[in-house]
Amino acid sequence: MTLGLFDDLPATPQAPECAVVLRGLALPQAAALLQAVDAVTAQAPFRHLITPGGQRMSVAMTNSGALGWISDRGGYRYGSTDPTTGLPWPSMPAVFRQLAHDAAEAAGYPGFAPDACLINRYECGTRLSLHQDRDEGNYDHPIVSVSLGIPAIFLWGGSERADKARRVGLWHGDVVVWGGPARLRFHGVRPLAEATHAMTGALRINLTFRKAG
Ligand code: SIN
Ligand code: FE2
């Protein structure tokens, strides 16, 4: 994929209603992040959640941190235990916490201390339809989203589902941050094209950090 085919998002916090893309910010920590993902998933394996409407999500998910995002027939929510094991979610690895803090600061949100890290695992063909992140206790804190492995096309929409979405290419190590007036923007991920990456094989791993409680 070449960048020219895509829309762009600013690299500095100049447009408050927009997300910021910090290209390659996570590259130095990528190996440590993926090792930490393995440690988390050894305790809390990836699983395909069921939407409230009864659909199996194509993206596999798990969590680390005091709170984890879950979905089932009862709705979308955060909980302190993994419903699969009944145990607390694995604690948030220090390398996760530090990167989330530093990325938020670089995007103009100092002092970010997430209590939830949703880990998404995308295989080729999987997608995340346009949605808002609105299950958190308040919207005062930003969202920090870290891309690892094979590339994806991120959809950056508007405040209404029907608004035209920009198509933003995201590569291994890229970090997207949005908050403030952009906090409730619709966003999603296009079905992933087939690809392989030296560190993840045919997978994309996304870490989404939030302050949920
Ligand atoms: C999300 O919206 O929860 C994840 C976005 C992504 O995978 O880039
Ligand atoms: Fe989201």
Side-chain angles (χ1 to χ4, degrees):
M1 290 202 283
T2 59
L3 255 163
L5 295 173
F6 300 104
D7 301 317
D8 227 343
L9 289 173
T12 52
Q14 285 160 0
E17 71 293 346
C18 211
V20 168
V21 180
L22 304 162
R23 297 277 175 207
L25 185 80
L27 279 177
Q29 294 95 338
L33 293 169
L34 288 167
Q35 255 175 30
V37 169
D38 286 345
V40 168
T41 57
Q43 290 178 62
F46 282 114
R47 79 289 309 269
H48 294 273
L49 296 170
I50 305 296
T51 66
Q55 304 277 350
R56 175 185 185 268
M57 295 184 73
S58 68
V59 178
M61 297 178 176
T62 188
N63 293 280
S64 73
L67 292 170
W69 186 84
I70 49 177
S71 172
D72 60 20
R73 283 283 193 175
Y76 300 126
R77 62 192 177 279
Y78 283 89
S80 57
T81 55
D82 177 350
T84 306
T85 62
L87 299 171
W89 294 107
S91 59
M92 194 180 298
V95 64
F96 281 21
R97 235 178 309 118
Q98 187 69 48
L99 174 64
H101 171 274
D102 294 352
E105 187 167 80
Y109 303 99
F112 182 49
D115 54 12
C117 175
L118 174 67
I119 307 176
N120 293 324
R121 185 189 68 191
Y122 296 79
E123 293 170 24
C124 302
T126 62
R127 63 194 286 262
L128 200 61
S129 49
L130 276 179
H131 65 278
Q132 294 169 295
D133 288 6
R134 53 183 314 154
D135 302 317
E136 296 71 33
N138 66 63
Y139 308 131
D140 297 342
H141 304 276
I143 309 271
V144 173
S145 173
V146 179
S147 293
L148 297 166
I150 68 172
I153 300 173
F154 183 65
L155 296 171
W156 179 249
S159 51
E160 306 290 332
R161 187 182 297 278
D163 291 347
K164 188 171 159 28
R166 298 191 206 188
R167 297 156 58 98
V168 181
L170 292 181
W171 284 264
H172 180 71
D174 290 346
V175 182
V176 187
V177 182
W178 64 97
R183 175 62 179 72
L184 286 174
R185 283 289 191 112
F186 279 88
H187 59 279
V189 178
R190 297 267 303 140
L192 258 72
E194 267 184 49
T196 54
H197 187 278
M199 294 178 85
T200 62
L203 299 174
R204 172 174 185 260
I205 301 290
N206 169 263
L207 312 175
T208 307
F209 295 93
R210 307 185 183 101
K211 176 90 175 83

